[in-house]
């Protein structure tokens, strides 16, 4: 994996793995819009630098969660992207030196030797750190995968039932093996019913997120559907969340409701 493009591949190809990963496009959409046409002025140039800084800070906060990542594939893709940022930092430090040269040539500043020297030394430090990338990515990529994530919303619900214990049961609306998930955001229509303190809660997929409703609060509509005025949105949004993650969110939600 010594070749640069080999270790970079883990993040550049990760988005190709399924519909849930379309969020990568959503998050990067603004950056990609500018990149397609090229930044043409200081406003867009600075905006790109700020977006990168905010993304790095947000990633640090995200990785602090115990459920930040589920598999070696995911941590490898993330580490690959982080190290690839060092490629960008290295190129951008040189680009800043070139920019400084142009600014001096236009008589917009002067006496840039000290700044140039410090940028050069900063680039050398980044290049040294970047040299560890192939070994780190190789080690992460070699880790064994010891969990098999659900392939769809139905498999996730079935797994969560087992984790929640005897007070939970799966209510299905389709025949076994007849499940098909469309892009409506409502999964397969099945739900997990959870008995707690005389109430029954429903865990289901709705509006592209996992949420819970209390059955006693439902109001029957003329068309036979049930309308709920209150619901609890849970954190894991993919239909292929780790079952233990979703089960933990359910337990937390039940512990906080009255």
């Amino acid at each position: 994996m010594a070749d640069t493009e080999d270790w970079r591949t883990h993040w550049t190809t990760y988005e190709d793995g399924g519909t849930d990963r379309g969020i990568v496009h959503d998050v990067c959409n603004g950056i990609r819009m500018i990149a397609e046409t090229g930044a043409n002025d200081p406003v867009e140039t600075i905006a790109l630098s700020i977006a990168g800084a905010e993304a790095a800070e947000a990633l640090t906060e995200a990785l602090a969660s115990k459920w930040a990542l589920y598999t070696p594939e995911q941590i490898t893709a993330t580490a690959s992207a982080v190290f690839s940022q060092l490629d960008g930092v290295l190129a951008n430090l040189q680009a800043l030196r070139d920019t400084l040269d142009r600014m001096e040539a236009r008589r917009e500043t002067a006496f840039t030797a000290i700044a140039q020297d410090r940028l050069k030394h900063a680039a050398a430090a980044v290049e040294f750190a970047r040299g560890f990338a192939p070994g780190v990515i190789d080690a992460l990529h070699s880790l064994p995968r010891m969990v098999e994530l659900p392939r769809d919303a139905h498999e996730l619900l079935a797994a969560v039932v087992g984790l929640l214990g005897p007070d939970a049961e799966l209510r299905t609306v389709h025949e076994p093996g007849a499940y098909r998930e469309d892009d409506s955001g409502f999964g397969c229509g099945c739900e997990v019913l959870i008995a707690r303190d005389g109430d029954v809660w429903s865990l289901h997929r709705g509006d592209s997120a996992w949420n819970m409703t209390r059955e006693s609060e439902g109001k029957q509509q003329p068309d036979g559907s049930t309308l709920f005025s209150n619901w609890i949105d849970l954190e894991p949004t993919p239909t292929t969340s780790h079952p233990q993650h979703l089960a933990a969110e359910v337990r937390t939600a039940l512990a906080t409701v009255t």
Side-chain angles (χ1 to χ4, degrees):
M1 263 198 197
D3 184 81
T4 298
E5 292 306 314
D6 285 340
W7 65 261
R8 281 174 57 91
T9 298
H10 293 283
W11 75 269
T12 58
T13 61
Y14 184 78
E15 192 177 1
D16 301 331
T19 55
D20 286 331
R21 297 176 189 173
I23 191 173
V24 175
H25 176 77
D26 294 339
V27 171
C28 297
N29 191 45
I31 295 173
R32 291 173 177 175
M33 181 177 64
I34 294 177
E36 286 176 1
T37 58
N40 297 311
D41 55 48
V43 173
E44 292 182 334
T45 301
I46 295 172
L48 286 173
S49 69
I50 292 173
E54 289 197 4
E57 290 182 357
L59 176 59
T60 300
E61 185 175 345
L63 288 172
S65 166
K66 67 178 181 179
W67 292 109
L69 300 168
Y70 298 148
T71 67
E73 174 202 18
Q74 293 172 342
I75 194 171
T76 300
T78 303
S80 172
V82 168
F83 273 109
S84 292
Q85 290 175 38
L86 294 185
D87 273 352
V89 170
L90 189 61
N92 289 334
L93 288 172
Q94 180 57 54
L96 285 172
R97 295 181 67 195
D98 295 341
T99 300
L100 201 54
D101 283 339
R102 291 193 296 270
M103 291 173 66
E104 187 171 30
R106 293 195 301 258
R107 307 287 298 175
E108 294 164 354
T109 189
F111 311 113
T112 62
I114 293 177
Q116 285 280 10
D117 185 62
R118 291 181 178 176
L119 282 169
K120 180 180 178 181
H121 283 85
V126 172
E127 188 169 18
F128 176 79
R130 182 202 162 281
F132 290 96
V136 172
I137 302 305
D138 186 41
L140 292 173
H141 184 59
S142 300
L143 293 173
R145 180 180 177 132
M146 301 177 67
V147 61
E148 196 62 40
L149 297 177
R151 293 173 296 181
D152 51 49
H154 187 82
E155 283 194 6
L156 178 53
L157 287 175
V160 168
V161 167
L163 293 170
L164 293 178
D167 291 333
E169 64 172 294
L170 180 64
R171 180 160 68 185
T172 60
V173 297
H174 56 77
E175 295 297 322
Y179 163 59
R180 287 187 180 180
E181 184 174 355
D182 56 28
D183 60 358
S184 66
F186 289 89
C188 61
C190 298
E191 60 185 336
V192 174
L193 300 179
I194 309 158
R196 180 180 181 274
D197 298 336
D199 280 324
V200 176
W201 290 82
S202 168
L203 167 67
H204 52 272
R205 186 80 177 169
D207 198 19
S208 299
W210 293 106
N211 52 68
M212 294 174 59
T213 52
R214 198 189 322 239
E215 293 287 277
S216 61
E217 295 179 346
K219 294 183 179 180
Q220 200 74 16
Q221 301 300 297
D223 61 0
S225 63
T226 305
L227 178 66
F228 292 90
S229 57
N230 297 303
W231 59 87
I232 301 172
D233 289 325
L234 302 180
E235 284 299 321
T237 54
T239 56
T240 53
S241 298
H242 196 303
Q244 292 183 32
H245 185 183
L246 184 54
E249 291 294 327
V250 170
R251 295 190 189 99
T252 297
L254 291 175
T256 56
V257 295
T258 57

